[in-house]
C-alpha cells in the first residue's frame, strides 16, 4: 500500500486493514484520525438499525378514522419505500392503493370526505444543517418526513441516481391517497391522528385503524440503502434506530442513537461523531479504524443479525455504486467481482470501505478515507487500485 499511497498525491489519506477472522490490524495509517466519511456513514446506520430493529422488522403505514365523519388520517411510520401503486421505485414496496382498498372496506357504506396526513412521528428540521446548500435541489437528498412515497421522488421510475424530489413529501403522499379514495386532493391537510380508544373501538370511531400496509423487511431496506447509496432511505432508517432506543426521531436524536448502539456493541465511541444517517452532512466524523471494525463485526458469526450487510455491499464491476468501477483503465480489474465495498463521495471527500478475500483466502476488512481531495475522479481509481492490491497479496 505504501507506494500506492505515495503515488496518489493525496495528503491526509487514512487507512485501516483488519483480518476479519482474528481482528488483527494488518495495516494502519492514521486509522484513528476522524474524517468526513461521506456515504460510508451508511455502514454505521446499517449496523445500528439491524442491531436494534432486526432483519425482519417491517415499517407500517396506517390509515385511521379521524374526528369528523368520513375523515381518514394517513399516518406515516417512516417507510421511505412506500409506493402509490404497482410501479414504485422499490421492489416489493407497500402500496397506497392497497391501503385505500382496506380503508374503503373498513368504512363500509361511509363515504370518505377528507384526508389528513400525520407525519408527526419525526421531529426537528427536515434538512440537516451540515448538508451542502444544493442538497435539496440536486436530487440526492430530500426533506426527511415520516410519510413519503418512492423516496420523495417526483417520478418513481428514476429509481437510482439523482432524481427530482417533492418539497413536501407527506402532503404529496396524502394527495395520492386522496385520489385513490375519491377525495379532492386539494383538501388534504397536515394534522395528527386521534388517540385510539382504550378499548377496541367500533369501525369508523375516531382513532380506529382502518387499514395497514408494511414495508419490505428491514434487511431489504438496508440492501436498498447500501447498494445504490440511497440517502433518503438512510435517513429514515437512522430514525428507526432513534425510535427503537426511545430517542427523538430527529437528526440529532438519530445520530445520537446510532452512536449509542455502536458503543453498546463494544466499538470505540470516541471514533464516531455523527450528525445524520446518510453521510450527506459534512459535520459527520468517523475513523477508518471504526469503519473497518464495523465491517468485521458484520462478518462475525456472533452477530447473525448483521450477516446480510456483506451481501448488500456493492460488488466491484458488477453492482450498485461499484458497477462502473474496477475496469481495465483503472488498473484494478483484478479485483472485479472480488471487492465488496461501500463508496463515499462529497466534493473534496472520497472514501471506500469494504471487504476483500486475499490470494491465500484471508478475508480482510478495509477502509480508505480522504477528506481533502482536489479531484474525486482522480482519487477514485487510485483507491480502487489499493483495494485490488489487498486482494492480490498473500499477507503471510
Amino acid at each position: 500500500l505504501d507506494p500506492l499511497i505515495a503515488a496518489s498525491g493525496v495528503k491526509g489519506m487514512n487507512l485501516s486493514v483488519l483480518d476479519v477472522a482474528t481482528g488483527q490490524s494488518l495495516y494502519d495509517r492514521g486509522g484513528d484520525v476522524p474524517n468526513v466519511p461521506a456515504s460510508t456513514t451508511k455502514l454505521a446506520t446499517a449496523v445500528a438499525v439491524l442491531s436494534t430493529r432486526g432483519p425482519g422488522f417491517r415499517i407500517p403505514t396506517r390509515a385511521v378514522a379521524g374526528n369528523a365523519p368520513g375523515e381518514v388520517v394517513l399516518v406515516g411510520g417512516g417507510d421511505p419505500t412506500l409506493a402509490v401503486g404497482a410501479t414504485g421505485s422499490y421492489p416489493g414496496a407497500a402500496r397506497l392503493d392497497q391501503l385505500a382498498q382496506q380503508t374503503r372496506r373498513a368504512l363500509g357504506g361511509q363515504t370518505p370526505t377528507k384526508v389528513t396526513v400525520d407525519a408527526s412521528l419525526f421531529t426537528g428540521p427536515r434538512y440537516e444543517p451540515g448538508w451542502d446548500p444544493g442538497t435539496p435541489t440536486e436530487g440526492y437528498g430530500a426533506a426527511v418526513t415520516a410519510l413519503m412515497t418512492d423516496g420523495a421522488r417526483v417520478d418513481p421510475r428514476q429509481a437510482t441516481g439523482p432524481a427530482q424530489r417533492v418539497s413536501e413529501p407527506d402532503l404529496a403522499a396524502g394527495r395520492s391517497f386522496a385520489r385513490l379514495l375519491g377525495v379532492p386532493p386539494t383538501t388534504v391537510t397536515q394534522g395528527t391522528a386521534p388517540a385510539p380508544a382504550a378499548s377496541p373501538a367500533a369501525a369508523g370511531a375516531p382513532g380506529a385503524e382502518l387499514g395497514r400496509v408494511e414495508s419490505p423487511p428491514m434487511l431489504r431496506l438496508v440492501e436498498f440503502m447500501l447498494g445504490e447509496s440511497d440517502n433518503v432511505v438512510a435517513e429514515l432508517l437512522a430514525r428507526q434506530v432513534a425510535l427503537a432506543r426511545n430517542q427523538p426521531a430527529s437528526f440529532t436524536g438519530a445520530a445520537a442513537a446510532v452512536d449509542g448502539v455502536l458503543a453498546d456493541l463494544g466499538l470505540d465511541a470516541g471514533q464516531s461523531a455523527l450528525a445524520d444517517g446518510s453521510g450527506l452532512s459534512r459535520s459527520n466524523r468517523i475513523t477508518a479504524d471504526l469503519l473497518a471494525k464495523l465491517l468485521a463485526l458484520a462478518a462475525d458469526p456472533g452477530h447473525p443479525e448483521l450477516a446480510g450487510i456483506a451481501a448488500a455491499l456493492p460488488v466491484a464491476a458488477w453492482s450498485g455504486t461499484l458497477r462502473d468501477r474496477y475496469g481495465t483503465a483503472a488498473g484494478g480489474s483484478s479485483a472485479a467481482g472480488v471487492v465488496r465495498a461501500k463508496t463515499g463521495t462529497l466534493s473534496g471527500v472520497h472514501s471506500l470501505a469494504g471487504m476483500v478475500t486475499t490470494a491465500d483466502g484471508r478475508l480482510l476488512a478495509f477502509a480508505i478515507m480522504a477528506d481533502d481531495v482536489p479531484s474525486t475522479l482522480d482519487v477514485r481509481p487510485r483507491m480502487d487500485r489499493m483495494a485490488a492490491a489487498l486482494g492480490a497479496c498473500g499477507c503471510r
Side-chain angles (χ1 to χ4, degrees), residues 8-47:
S8 73
V10 176
K11 297 179 180 179
M13 184 176 286
N14 299 317
L15 290 85
S16 178
V17 182
L18 304 177
D19 182 292
V20 169
T22 67
Q24 178 187 2
S25 174
L26 302 179
Y27 187 92
D28 184 281
R29 177 190 172 98
D32 61 351
V33 176
N35 282 78
V36 179
S39 279
T40 53
T41 302
K42 294 181 177 72
L43 292 171
T45 301
V47 167

Side-chain angles (χ1 to χ4, degrees), residues 52-301:
T52 54
R53 287 304 200 194
F57 181 83
R58 296 173 183 263
I59 303 171
T61 301
R62 301 183 303 123
V64 305
N67 287 312
E71 180 186 9
V72 177
V73 184
L74 181 62
V75 183
D79 177 8
T81 65
L82 180 67
V84 176
T87 56
S89 300
Y90 303 93
R95 293 164 46 178
L96 282 180
D97 60 345
Q98 294 175 345
L99 183 59
Q101 290 174 0
Q102 296 176 29
T103 300
R104 283 195 295 269
R105 286 197 299 267
L107 288 174
Q110 188 176 51
T111 301
T113 58
K114 180 182 179 182
V115 169
T116 300
V117 295
D118 182 351
S120 62
L121 186 64
F122 293 176
T123 60
R126 294 188 169 194
Y127 297 97
E128 207 283 315
W131 288 3
D132 288 349
T135 299
T137 59
E138 290 172 352
Y140 289 100
V144 179
T145 71
L147 178 63
M148 62 174 62
T149 58
D150 300 304
R153 291 172 178 83
V154 172
D155 183 353
R157 293 171 297 180
Q158 292 182 287
T160 61
Q164 185 181 359
R165 314 280 174 157
V166 296
S167 59
E168 295 181 296
D170 52 340
L171 286 173
R175 290 171 186 137
S176 295
F177 191 56
R179 291 187 188 95
L180 292 166
L181 289 176
V183 175
T186 54
T187 64
V188 174
T189 59
Q190 295 166 321
T192 56
S199 57
E209 185 169 286
L210 303 173
R212 168 189 293 251
V213 291
E214 295 183 337
S215 73
M218 183 57 66
L219 179 56
R220 189 74 174 114
L221 302 186
V222 168
E223 291 172 353
F224 294 146
M225 173 180 68
L226 294 180
E228 297 296 341
S229 200
D230 193 311
N231 296 309
V232 178
V233 172
E235 293 302 340
L236 271 66
L237 295 194
R239 278 160 174 73
Q240 290 298 321
V241 182
L243 293 168
R245 291 176 66 90
N246 297 315
Q247 297 277 353
S250 62
F251 281 108
T252 302
V258 171
D259 280 336
V261 172
L262 301 188
D264 290 349
L265 290 169
L267 300 169
D268 186 350
Q271 293 192 357
S272 172
L274 298 180
D276 69 11
S278 65
L280 283 172
S281 177
R282 293 181 183 271
S283 300
N284 288 316
R285 294 294 184 274
I286 299 180
T287 67
D289 179 65
L290 180 61
L291 287 177
K293 287 179 177 175
L294 284 170
L295 289 158
L297 190 71
D300 184 345

